[in-house]
Amino acid sequence: MAESLTSPAPGAVTARSLSHPTPGWQQAMRASVTDVETLFSRLALPAEQLDAARRAAALFGLRVPESYLARMTPGDIDDPLLRQVLPLDAETIERPGFAWDAVGDLDSTTGDGLLHKYHGRALLVTTGACAVHCRYCFRRHFDYSAHHAGGSRMRQVIARIAADASLAEIILSGGDPLSLTNDRLATIGAALDAITHVRRLRLHTRTAIVLPERIDAGLLDWIAARRARVVVVVHVNHARELSPGVCARLRALQRAGATLLNQAVLLAGVNDSAEAQIALSEALFDAGVSPYYLHLLDRVAGVHHFEVPEQRAIALMRAVAARLPGYLVPKLAREQAGDTAKQVIGVA
Ligand code: SF4
């Protein structure tokens, strides 16, 4: 049975949640590594970097699920999966041109959790919770408490979507919408399915990759039950993130009826080589996922050390395009505050 639209914000403990057994994925999410000491000890990382990691984690907390940790190589400080979650001193250094709200989210929000930037689609900030904390996150400074569509704001948001017939697609985002319980998703899905001009529901998720347990039977049923077409846009940055367990769950999503796309971020020290991008596209396609976007880094305060200059990104993607069929070459793109669409950067 689904919750009502005015249910408490996700994560709140209620009489109902107490009377239901906790699903395995929620237990796995709670068991994530959230302190740098454990991360350093589990991966045998150099102790001299511990203080810097503590300082950076004080600005943006550490969170790594066990399933993702298990894919890293102990002792390798340069592991491309570790680089995405390891707090570094560089995050504490301010750089000109790197802002708190780099993509103009605050100018596009309606104050109740709906971000309406582009024609025909709008993004619903369903929760502030994520299964992993990516150090390069473009919303690492976003005030979710003021801008998510939880609690009583959801009814207001649904009414606004119903009143705007131009909205053919609603994007469930966050945070990560797969941090929500299946009951909460059922409520939101039913409300959106009842709005006939909403033809597509899109989910943006990294949880499906870092915590594959989240793709459970209830979620697959939810996808299969939707009137609107479901598009799941996963976030995979490196081929090694696609473990056999993740690939099996992605295939289950596809069998349930979801169209699967990937959006990645081009990150220095993680995937900034033609070889890494080719391996990623090949692995994605093997798992039934089409490479869709490769984003240039959003210039958010604290992430400058991940930036790959645009000219190098273009050269890199030219090398990729020379070796792969077109359908395996993601569009190199940039998002800029105030634009009416993402800017696709030509590599020809
Ligand atoms: S999963 Fe997405 S929203 Fe969450 S921390 Fe990573 S990049 Fe940010």
Side-chain angles (χ1 to χ4, degrees):
M1 184 177 39
E3 301 165 337
S4 79
L5 277 178
T6 53
S7 291
V13 176
T14 64
R16 244 173 61 70
S17 66
L18 287 173
S19 66
H20 282 61
T22 307
W25 68 266
Q26 282 182 305
Q27 291 176 8
M29 202 158 155
R30 282 184 200 140
S32 297
V33 173
T34 55
D35 66 277
V36 291
E37 291 77 10
T38 303
L39 182 74
F40 271 62
S41 129
R42 292 281 302 281
L43 291 176
L45 300 178
E48 59 270 23
Q49 296 202 23
L50 190 53
D51 277 348
R54 282 195 191 107
R55 283 194 294 278
L59 300 176
F60 180 49
L62 173 81
R63 174 168 285 277
V64 191
E66 287 286 347
S67 159
Y68 194 59
L69 191 75
R71 289 170 243 169
M72 298 173 191
T73 307
D76 183 4
I77 194 85
D78 295 322
D79 182 289
L81 276 56
L82 173 65
R83 301 288 299 178
Q84 297 177 61
V85 298
L86 178 66
L88 293 177
D89 220 15
E91 296 175 40
T92 65
I93 299 165
E94 288 188 25
R95 279 286 168 88
F98 288 79
W100 277 50
D101 181 23
V103 295
D105 275 349
L106 291 178
D107 290 338
S108 312
T109 183
T110 51
D112 50 15
L114 196 67
L115 298 184
H116 193 174
K117 287 186 184 177
Y118 305 143
H119 179 78
R121 61 243 191 239
L123 184 147
L124 199 48
V125 179
T126 56
T127 171
C130 289
V132 65
H133 285 181
C134 314
R135 305 315 298 179
Y136 53 86
C137 178
F138 70 121
R139 292 205 179 113
R140 58 182 277 160
H141 307 296
F142 192 73
D143 181 2
Y144 285 105
S145 60
H147 295 288
H148 82 75
S152 60
R153 292 186 193 131
M154 184 58 80
R155 191 184 295 279
Q156 193 178 321
V157 166
I158 294 293
R160 194 204 313 264
I161 295 169
D164 185 346
S166 76
L167 291 176
E169 179 165 359
I170 297 300
I171 301 159
L172 303 187
S173 181
D176 195 309
L178 293 191
S179 305
L180 302 178
T181 63
N182 288 336
D183 275 357
R184 188 70 182 155
L185 284 175
T187 303
I188 298 170
L192 292 172
D193 267 348
I195 303 171
T196 52
H197 59 256
V198 175
R199 301 168 67 160
R200 294 177 299 279
L201 282 187
R202 198 195 315 172
L203 275 78
H204 281 182
T205 180
R206 185 144 167 79
T207 295
I209 305 305
V210 300
L211 191 88
E213 304 94 307
R214 176 61 188 96
I215 304 172
D216 62 4
L219 179 66
L220 298 174
D221 289 346
W222 181 87
I223 289 170
R226 300 277 60 83
R227 172 196 57 77
R229 280 297 303 264
V230 176
V231 181
V232 177
V233 182
V234 292
H235 176 172
V236 186
N237 293 320
H238 194 278
R240 272 190 30 222
E241 293 175 13
L242 291 166
S243 66
V246 171
C247 293
R249 305 279 175 138
L250 291 173
R251 292 220 168 274
L253 282 175
Q254 200 177 34
R255 281 196 301 274
T259 297
L260 299 184
L261 306 172
N262 185 57
Q263 57 180 355
V265 184
L266 184 58
L267 299 166
V270 174
N271 57 10
D272 57 332
S273 69
E275 290 68 29
Q277 288 298 326
I278 290 167
L280 175 58
S281 281
E282 300 266 25
L284 284 166
F285 198 72
D286 287 349
V289 183
S290 293
Y292 173 41
Y293 273 132
L294 177 65
H295 292 274
L296 291 180
L297 184 75
D298 293 323
R299 305 190 93 207
V300 177
V303 310
H304 65 271
H305 50 297
F306 282 115
E307 189 167 55
V308 177
E310 182 174 324
Q311 286 310 314
R312 194 158 87 76
I314 291 171
L316 189 157
M317 290 312 291
R318 278 193 186 133
V320 172
R323 287 166 57 187
L324 288 180
Y327 61 90
L328 290 187
V329 182
K331 293 188 240 183
L332 185 63
R334 164 200 306 113
E335 182 167 352
Q336 276 195 323
D339 283 355
T340 54
K342 287 201 172 95
Q343 286 179 16
V344 174
I345 300 165
V347 299

